[in-house]
Amino acid sequence: FLPFTPDYAFQFIMGAAASIPQPADLKDSERRGVFCGKGPTLEEVARLILDGHVRRIVVAAGAGISVSAGIPDFRTPGTGLYSNLAKYNLPTPESVFQLDYYKENPQPFCTLSKELWPGKHKPTRVHHFLHLLEKKGLLQRVFTQNIDGLERLAGVSPELLVEAHGSFSSAHCVECGHAHDPEEWRQRAENG
């Protein structure tokens, strides 16, 4: 349901686009373009699925699906994750997730990961809906920017997940690439 031109989508995927517009920044006509000028309402989407007009669903998800689980989004002023990183004294808020900065100073990421580690939050209705789509044989793939693992906790099969920014389901050495048990990494991060 992306209201972008194929050229924009290609540029975004290839890394040439700066960012995807937020839904609030889109004109009504852009949001409704997928439904020929109508909707889209939840009821319309549900009707398309129930009537069998939609049999293969691909989902692109971001922080918004985890906010109701208590996980902050990134950019909301005052409550977003980036607004609350001052305690780490980072060069930029994004530094906490940059590999070069991690190699220089892993402590901010390790401390933050304690707050985000799977198991501290429960999947939302959206996460459970994704699992339902899979059980019904409709879900083809979930592309997610989230690292919280709530899709997995809700039961979505790992084979259907593309976790664009990684997840806590695996851990690898940043120098040699050797795989480590994620639980062992969590315990090390917890202990400092």
Side-chain angles (χ1 to χ4, degrees):
F1 299 136
L2 294 176
F4 310 118
T5 65
D7 287 342
Y8 181 89
F10 178 77
Q11 288 175 353
F12 177 76
I13 290 167
M14 299 309 289
S19 66
I20 292 179
Q22 297 299 310
D25 297 335
L26 298 173
K27 295 182 247 172
D28 282 343
S29 61
E30 292 172 321
R31 263 183 271 179
R32 295 182 197 158
V34 174
F35 287 86
C36 302
K38 299 184 287 182
T41 67
L42 183 57
E43 290 79 14
E44 289 172 324
V45 173
R47 180 60 43 211
L48 287 170
I49 294 170
L50 289 171
D51 290 346
H53 295 294
V54 175
R55 293 183 302 276
R56 298 185 320 187
I57 298 173
V58 175
V59 175
I65 70 169
S66 297
V67 170
S68 64
I71 298 172
D73 67 10
F74 282 80
R75 293 178 179 84
T76 300
T79 60
L81 186 62
Y82 286 163
S83 292
N84 294 296
L85 292 176
K87 61 187 172 190
Y88 299 119
N89 196 27
L90 300 166
T92 66
E94 295 85 359
S95 297
V96 74
F97 296 115
Q98 293 175 342
L99 187 56
D100 287 341
Y101 188 78
Y102 175 83
K103 288 179 180 179
E104 178 185 317
N105 183 8
Q107 195 59 46
F109 178 79
C110 292
T111 303
L112 178 63
S113 69
K114 293 178 200 178
E115 298 172 30
L116 299 176
W117 195 268
K120 296 188 182 234
H121 302 280
K122 294 182 179 175
T124 67
R125 289 180 180 179
V126 174
H127 298 102
H128 289 294
F129 179 67
L130 297 176
H131 183 233
L132 177 63
L133 290 174
E134 178 184 357
K135 288 190 334 188
K136 299 281 185 184
L138 300 170
L139 188 65
Q140 301 297 298
R141 191 81 63 225
V142 176
F143 293 89
T144 181
Q145 295 182 36
N146 299 337
I147 64 170
D148 55 38
L150 294 182
E151 296 88 359
R152 288 172 186 263
L153 285 176
V156 176
S157 298
E159 304 81 48
L160 296 180
L161 291 172
V162 177
E163 294 160 316
H165 297 301
S167 74
F168 290 102
S169 65
S170 64
H172 296 80
C173 174
V174 296
E175 296 299 329
C176 71
H178 180 74
H180 292 276
D181 177 15
E183 184 59 27
E184 177 186 327
W185 188 91
R186 184 193 65 77
Q187 289 173 1
R188 286 185 180 187
E190 290 279 339
N191 296 327

